[in-house]
Amino acid sequence: MILPMLLALAAAPQGVEPPPKPTAAKIAAAAPASSWATIAPEDLLVIDFADGQRGVIWLASALAPVHVANIRTIARSGWWRDGAIYRVQDNYVTQWGDPTNKKPPAAGIAVHPPAEYEWPASAHPIVANPYKDAYAAVTGFTADGWAVAGDGRSQWLPHCYGMVGVARDLAPDVGTGGDLYTVIGHAPRHLDRNIAVVGRVIDGMATFSARKRGTGGGLGLYENARDNVPIRRVAIASDLPAGERLSYQYLKPSAPEFARTLEARANRGLPFFTVPAGNADLCNLDVPVRKTPAG
Amino acid sequence: MILPMLLALAAAPQGVEPPPKPTAAKIAAAAPASSWATIAPEDLLVIDFADGQRGVIWLASALAPVHVANIRTIARSGWWRDGAIYRVQDNYVTQWGDPTNKKPPAAGIAVHPPAEYEWPASAHPIVANPYKDAYAAVTGFTADGWAVAGDGRSQWLPHCYGMVGVARDLAPDVGTGGDLYTVIGHAPRHLDRNIAVVGRVIDGMATFSARKRGTGGGLGLYENARDNVPIRRVAIASDLPAGERLSYQYLKPSAPEFARTLEARANRGLPFFTVPAGNADLCNLDVPVRKTPAG
């Protein structure tokens, strides 16, 4: 017997399951092409490691412009050609760059860039996030697809899983971008506003997270250089030969489906979940990203 | 010139660095023996994998007693002898148990245990945590060393990095404890109150987190059984031969140093940090654990 739809919605009779609540992934997948925006290929950093693995990083060019310009220059100069992953600290970060810590900076970069740790909130309007975060009074999403934290006056990029920052020495050092890290554990939000965050791993995250942990210095440094994971090539996607081109899109924070993905993450439902959380912290609300569909 | 201490504290003259702010790890390491409590060896689950790696899990025997009793029975029965890690989902969980999903339950266990997802707050008094959490109005630490979340009426164990839960099928299934998982990414707190949390990895976390990610079913399942990581032995520490005995301690939440570790995590200082977060979510406030010092 097929039940009239209204009756089924009003009260599921015993033995008839309500339809599963759509997940954020399903909501995003069903969004029309007009709800997606293509990431500029100049904002994609493609890292190929000697073991054949690849990581793709979306650069926050509008939010950390000097550091991102440095990173593009470093990539194009070949400076990372003898670079490697040399630090993997469990529940913290994987870091790569110059394992010798002795190379002179790449030519043409800003050796002492401005901190770019935060910026005035008015500079980048956001779509407000209705869910509570433990670290920031205000959170939301910029039109160009970045989840940001703020206090009403300032805004900053949060240290969520997969976010990429610029390694630096002790304060007041800022770091050039020659050494980068990504978060591979619970969000170390105490790093927010203390380091320049410059991007987000959007493909190949396991090439950073599924690595042997280091044991050196209480910092996860590889004590034996043979553990280093050499970099084979770093490129900006717009520089890749035509046959190698990559393209990704993000779900526009202004799209109606975007707000529905937030709600779906804050309030997960049957058939698996019986108690919805009623909230999701900023690091559980990443902006959906996909490979640009063919055609 | 050695500065008088009071002057140095009142205002560090230009060019004289203030002493570094003690970290949570340093505060815990300096705590006297009386501030530490030994974990009962009956509450330590020791998993040895065929590749020589070991994980040690502290079982929350007072908070999930029926599941923990099941887990002890399963360990002692040898049921896990042909078990394995069969699922590693990036930024989510590593899961182990019966990769065939077909074995009958171990003899003597509760096949349909109570949910044990939460309990009345009055059952386990807590030392209150002064810092804000995005998922729970009330948080704190039980006398026996567990960080818990709550709403004033109920309490529950949070899904933080390294916490161990009981895998289950769709609701209303509860799971027996034969298949377990640990969190290897940003805390999936939406699982709180939907699954029985039964412990915490306190040693060898990398044996769970630094594993190849699986690709099956969108769930990180290993699609080729050759990727499974076989279990060689699972034991309760109190059953180990004398020469293999293990002992761990936790910093008592009632100890004066404990509160100082919380403050040190919420407000990190120079020489690295220039902007303290002023807060730390519950999953960035794990109870310090150490191997019991010799002698």
Side-chain angles (χ1 to χ4, degrees), chain A residues 90-91 134-135 161 168 171 186-187 190 194 205 209-211 213 268 271-275 279-281 283-284, chain B residues 90-91 132 134-135 161 168 171 186-187 190 194 205 209-211 213 268 271-275 279-281 283-284:
Chain A
D90 196 62
N91 193 20
Y135 289 89
Y161 192 93
R168 64 164 171 85
H186 186 70
H190 46 275
N194 286 285
M205 183 63 199
S209 59
R211 295 281 179 195
R213 273 46 178 164
R268 302 184 193 222
F272 190 85
F273 293 92
T274 56
V275 181
N279 197 55
D281 68 18
C283 290
N284 273 321
Chain B
D90 196 61
N91 194 19
K132 289 192 303 286
Y135 289 89
Y161 193 92
R168 65 165 172 84
H186 187 70
H190 46 275
N194 285 285
M205 183 63 199
S209 59
R211 295 281 180 196
R213 275 44 180 165
R268 302 187 193 220
F272 190 85
F273 294 91
T274 56
V275 181
N279 197 55
D281 67 16
C283 291
N284 274 319

Side-chain angles (χ1 to χ4, degrees), chain B residues 37 54 76 83 86 116 126 148 155 175 186 221 253 260 266 275 277 288:
Chain B
R54 165 178 284 186
R76 287 169 171 152
Y86 56 82
E116 298 187 315
I126 57 173
V148 297
Q155 270 173 14
H186 187 70
L221 296 165
R260 290 179 57 217
V275 181

Side-chain angles (χ1 to χ4, degrees), chain B residues 213-227:
Chain B
R213 275 44 180 165
T215 49
L219 297 167
L221 296 165
Y222 285 147
E223 296 186 273
N224 188 326
R226 276 176 302 186
D227 287 330

Side-chain angles (χ1 to χ4, degrees), chain B residues 135-233:
Chain B
Y135 289 89
V138 178
T139 62
F141 305 90
T142 66
D144 55 342
W146 294 93
V148 297
D151 59 9
R153 287 169 294 119
S154 282
Q155 270 173 14
W156 57 90
L157 284 166
H159 274 81
C160 299
Y161 193 92
M163 293 298 284
V164 175
V166 173
R168 65 165 172 84
D169 210 328
L170 297 182
D173 177 66
V174 167
T176 61
D179 292 81
L180 299 171
Y181 64 87
T182 187
V183 173
I184 61 163
H186 187 70
R189 299 284 299 276
H190 46 275
L191 293 172
D192 292 5
R193 293 189 280 175
N194 285 285
I195 296 198
V197 180
V198 293
R200 172 184 161 196
V201 177
I202 56 169
D203 210 351
M205 183 63 199
T207 196
F208 303 104
S209 59
R211 295 281 180 196
K212 177 179 176 175
R213 275 44 180 165
T215 49
L219 297 167
L221 296 165
Y222 285 147
E223 296 186 273
N224 188 326
R226 276 176 302 186
D227 287 330
N228 289 351
V229 183
I231 290 170
R232 187 170 62 77
R233 182 185 71 172

Side-chain angles (χ1 to χ4, degrees), chain B residues 14-39:
Chain B
Q14 219 174 1
V16 177
E17 299 295 331
K21 178 167 178 171
T23 62
K26 286 215 167 137
I27 293 165
S34 59
S35 291
W36 294 85
T38 300
I39 297 172

